[in-house]
Amino acid sequence: MRRPTTGVLGTGLALLSSLLLAQSPHAATASGAAFVSDDFASGVLDPSLWTVTDPAGEGTVAFPGAGTSNARLSLSVPSGTNYDPWGTNRALRATQPVTNDDFQAHVRFLSVPTAKYQTQGILVEQDATNWMRFEVHSDGSSLNMFAAKTVNGKTTTLLRETITAGTESQLRLTRTGDTWTLAHSTDGTTWITAETINHTIQATHIGPFAANGSPYPTFTADIDYFFDTAAPIEPEDGNTATTHTLTTTTDGQGTITRNPDNTTYPEGTDVTLTATPANGWTFTGWTGDTTGPDPTTTITMNTDHTVTATFHQDTPPEEDEYALTVSVNGDGTVQRSPSASTYPDGTDVTLTAAPAEGWTFAGWSGDASGTDESVVVMMDAPRSVTATFEQVSVDPPSVDVWYGDDQTFGVAGVSQRWVNVLGNVSDADGIQSANYRLNGNAPVGLSIGSDLRRLYGEGDVNVEIPYDDLSSGANTVAITATDTTGESATESVTVRKDVRSPSLPYSTSWGSSQNPNDVAQVVDGKWTSGSGGLTIVEPGYDRTVAVGDSSWDNYEVEVPVTVRGLTPGYGTPQSGSPVVGLALRWNGHTPRDTEEPAVGWYPTGAFAWYQWYDSGRYALIGNDGWPLSRDGAPWDFGTTYIMKARVESVAGGTDYSYKWWPQGTSEPQGWSLSVTDDNSPDTGGVLLIAHHVDATFGTVDVSPLGDSP
């Protein structure tokens, strides 16, 4: 049953069909046809007949084989874009008006869907929210014949049937009133007909479509023809149009666009060409089968044509150029981009600072500022930029000055010819060298322990400075240590020279300060003082403290000594046996060679000590090791002994005497050991000696003997 049409609509469609048939040899209508058949042989869609709708704007319409016996229409949808006509008509489609009557549409697809939800079919539209779709699609494993209706934007499935796929896919849709019958064929001869569908719709447009569903694969529907079976084109692709080839070339730098954009065109097609020059170039004209200076021209394809667009390079205006000067403070480099010495006016130059190892970028100055490693300089004038790098101090050496950064010498007497600033240098990477500067003068190298002598501990240093080199008042001693990576650290010590001459009798007051340098002068080692006396903190080789003044001549000295035990390290060629005791008429160590600090013990008046040699012995030893007197006796650890010694100048030399007794017992009447030395210094102070022993010295009392004979 045919649906009735109004007189105006029917007359208009009949007139449109006759006009289209007259305009194109590849579209055909006949009495009773509902729409115009097309075999797409011309290579174009007649815009007065067909409307292409691409909702996503990413589809492609092409005409492979145009003008040949294999002409077809291709509708392509891309991967990842939704072209699913479910709920909303997103299909890429070519539609034309259709009468709201009975019809039979026949479409031949040379393509077959294989990936999940690749889709091709026939779309019958009423309006934007009402349509029907008849199709074949793949579910990823099989091919399905499918139909659905959309009413006011709501889609409902009407038909789904699995079919056998072939090398092509043809659909035949038959409308009879409100019934719809869909059939499928793989060869156009044998048809599989699905069940009849009932749905009422006011059909206004019909045409083929391509679509996809999630996961939205790419797909091309290759359409050989779309026929109303009441008026097919016979022979199909037989009345091929005469086509011509358009060849375009460019001379210089630029592009040519053509509209419509094809390689071949049907006879009589007007093609619009537009020339667009590249940056810095100008279009100068067309040559070949069209001429003229206008960048847009139209050529009629009545034969093969060749056209050339010519472009000439613009002559750049002369530009000012400016120099960029880059300087570096510190250790690092600066790269410039673009790399040149001069730049045209307005050029932006990127400068990038790269610090050397162990350095960091501090900032830009001059015609750039900031601390970012990259900066942009506009060259609108000569520019000068400086990059400043600063050395990074990573784990610098440690300089530990044992008796403080402000030390005074001479208040308790000039007990020897030297002052000693003691300490230790250390670093995880190892110490390479150390030195000191006195009052900013040239550096003097320092030996670094351990040497198993005066510099007993690892990293120990002893800055030994003659009194005569110090200025009265404050002096600055800067101690610098450098590690094996080149990192260095400096510790400055204020050394005050305040010389006074203490008179006899004289007593040390160890309890007045924890710093023994406030009462005496530490020569070697790390000591502490307090009410309990003077105690060695880090025992080792010849830990010594000088007491009194080097101007003293004849005196007696008495001091209690407690030894708690022997300490490791003795018995080497450098150390020999452990010793505790005194030196009389002490004036300081003497250099034996170029060593620093000095290690020579002589000239010294005499040594009065106890020596743990064999079963133990007391000894009194003159200058240069002779004369010598000994007495074998034990020493009980933890017991305090009183050591008493005497020095007196006599005719023909100097007498030295020595005795000892346990504290709390009676002092012996006479001297236990005595020697006369004919090669003794005339004057000197007292030196307390703890050699590889853990010892404490009590109050040192020094008494005068009177005038020398």
Side-chain angles (χ1 to χ4, degrees), residues 8-316:
V8 174
L9 178 60
T11 302
L13 289 174
L15 176 60
L16 175 62
S17 297
S18 63
L19 288 173
L20 291 174
L21 183 60
Q23 290 174 356
S24 173
H26 308 289
T29 59
S31 177
F35 59 90
V36 179
S37 296
D38 202 334
D39 61 4
F40 311 114
S42 67
V44 293
L45 288 177
D46 187 340
S48 65
L49 175 63
W50 289 100
T51 299
V52 175
T53 304
D54 183 3
E58 299 179 20
T60 303
V61 179
F63 299 91
T68 72
S69 61
N70 190 29
R72 54 201 187 276
L73 167 67
S74 290
L75 302 177
S76 299
V77 297
S79 173
T81 302
N82 184 355
Y83 276 88
D84 187 2
W86 187 274
T88 299
N89 194 351
R90 303 181 187 87
L92 174 62
R93 55 198 184 271
T95 59
Q96 60 168 291
V98 63
T99 61
N100 191 34
D101 293 322
D102 296 343
F103 61 80
Q104 186 177 72
H106 179 192
V107 59
R108 182 190 184 194
F109 292 101
L110 300 181
S111 51
V112 179
T114 55
K116 189 174 183 179
Y117 297 135
Q118 289 179 337
T119 303
Q120 60 190 13
I122 301 171
L123 200 66
V124 179
E125 296 178 319
Q126 175 179 306
D127 52 39
T129 58
N130 295 272
W131 68 87
M132 298 182 73
R133 53 191 276 197
F134 301 89
E135 66 193 50
V136 289
H137 69 247
S138 173
D139 60 12
S141 59
S142 60
L143 193 65
N144 294 273
M145 191 159 44
F146 179 86
K149 65 179 180 179
T150 300
V151 179
N152 296 325
K154 181 179 180 181
T155 301
T156 304
T157 299
L158 300 175
L159 167 69
R160 179 184 286 112
E161 182 177 325
T162 300
I163 56 177
T164 301
T167 58
E168 62 180 73
S169 181
Q170 298 189 35
L171 292 177
R172 189 173 64 198
L173 175 64
T174 304
R175 177 184 184 179
T176 305
D178 292 333
T179 64
W180 305 80
T181 304
L182 181 64
H184 177 264
S185 175
T186 60
D187 56 11
T189 301
T190 303
W191 292 87
I192 297 174
T193 302
E195 62 182 79
T196 298
I197 297 168
N198 290 297
H199 179 60
T200 301
I201 189 173
Q202 287 290 115
T204 61
H205 289 82
I206 192 170
F209 75 93
N212 60 16
S214 178
Y216 311 118
T218 183
F219 180 61
T220 297
D222 212 8
I223 307 160
D224 186 24
Y225 55 79
F226 185 75
F227 286 172
D228 184 328
T229 58
I233 298 174
E234 295 179 347
E236 188 262 328
D237 288 339
N239 297 321
T240 57
T242 301
T243 61
H244 301 290
T245 301
L246 174 60
T247 303
T248 58
T249 60
T250 59
D251 181 3
Q253 293 188 19
T255 60
I256 300 173
T257 57
R258 56 177 78 186
N259 185 24
D261 186 12
N262 294 320
T263 303
T264 60
Y265 297 90
E267 174 86 21
T269 303
D270 287 336
V271 182
T272 300
L273 302 178
T274 301
T276 303
N279 187 33
W281 293 71
T282 299
F283 173 71
T284 58
W286 301 98
T287 57
D289 292 331
T290 188
T291 59
D294 292 337
T296 299
T297 188
T298 299
I299 188 168
T300 301
M301 297 303 296
N302 49 18
T303 186
D304 291 345
H305 286 299
T306 299
V307 176
T308 299
T310 301
F311 304 93
H312 283 175
Q313 189 171 14
D314 299 337
T315 301

Side-chain angles (χ1 to χ4, degrees), residues 223-474:
I223 307 160
D224 186 24
Y225 55 79
F226 185 75
F227 286 172
D228 184 328
T229 58
I233 298 174
E234 295 179 347
E236 188 262 328
D237 288 339
N239 297 321
T240 57
T242 301
T243 61
H244 301 290
T245 301
L246 174 60
T247 303
T248 58
T249 60
T250 59
D251 181 3
Q253 293 188 19
T255 60
I256 300 173
T257 57
R258 56 177 78 186
N259 185 24
D261 186 12
N262 294 320
T263 303
T264 60
Y265 297 90
E267 174 86 21
T269 303
D270 287 336
V271 182
T272 300
L273 302 178
T274 301
T276 303
N279 187 33
W281 293 71
T282 299
F283 173 71
T284 58
W286 301 98
T287 57
D289 292 331
T290 188
T291 59
D294 292 337
T296 299
T297 188
T298 299
I299 188 168
T300 301
M301 297 303 296
N302 49 18
T303 186
D304 291 345
H305 286 299
T306 299
V307 176
T308 299
T310 301
F311 304 93
H312 283 175
Q313 189 171 14
D314 299 337
T315 301
E318 292 187 4
E319 295 182 339
D320 293 330
E321 290 209 352
Y322 301 108
L324 174 59
T325 303
V326 178
S327 303
V328 171
N329 284 336
D331 195 355
T333 60
V334 176
Q335 292 183 338
R336 56 178 81 189
S337 179
S339 179
S341 57
T342 61
Y343 297 90
D345 185 14
T347 302
D348 285 338
V349 181
T350 300
L351 301 180
T352 302
E357 184 176 358
W359 292 72
T360 185
F361 176 65
W364 302 99
S365 58
D367 290 322
S369 60
T371 57
D372 290 342
E373 290 190 351
S374 291
V375 68
V376 176
V377 178
M378 175 180 281
M379 297 303 297
D380 53 3
R383 298 296 185 190
S384 179
V385 177
T386 298
T388 298
F389 301 91
E390 294 178 349
Q391 194 165 13
V392 179
S393 293
V394 180
D395 296 329
S398 172
V399 179
D400 179 20
V401 179
W402 289 340
Y403 298 106
D405 58 5
D406 194 327
Q407 301 182 29
T408 301
F409 295 88
V411 172
V414 179
S415 55
Q416 60 172 19
R417 63 175 61 90
W418 315 97
V419 299
N420 297 95
V421 180
L422 305 170
N424 184 274
V425 294
S426 61
D427 188 273
D429 296 315
I431 296 296
Q432 180 72 34
S433 63
N435 63 66
Y436 76 92
R437 292 176 183 264
L438 174 60
N439 295 327
N441 293 325
V444 178
L446 287 173
S447 297
I448 304 170
S450 167
D451 64 0
L452 299 182
R453 283 193 170 93
R454 296 184 65 187
L455 304 177
Y456 189 72
E458 190 72 27
D460 284 357
V461 291
N462 189 328
V463 181
E464 195 163 65
I465 304 173
Y467 260 96
D468 292 343
D469 288 355
L470 296 175
S471 301
S472 295

Side-chain angles (χ1 to χ4, degrees), residues 541-617:
Y541 177 98
D542 284 351
R543 309 293 85 179
T544 57
V545 176
V547 177
D549 192 82
S550 58
S551 65
W552 292 350
D553 52 4
N554 301 319
Y555 54 84
E556 282 185 355
V557 55
E558 182 176 316
V559 57
V561 182
T562 304
V563 176
R564 287 169 290 277
L566 307 182
T567 60
Y570 63 87
T572 67
Q574 294 88 350
S575 292
S577 302
V579 166
V580 66
L582 311 170
L584 306 177
R585 288 191 178 175
W586 170 256
N587 286 278
H589 290 88
T590 54
R592 296 191 310 187
D593 200 349
T594 59
E595 79 281 344
E596 183 284 321
V599 297
W601 283 96
Y602 302 108
T604 296
F607 294 101
W609 61 35
Y610 184 86
Q611 181 181 24
W612 279 265
Y613 182 84
D614 290 339
S615 58
R617 62 193 182 190

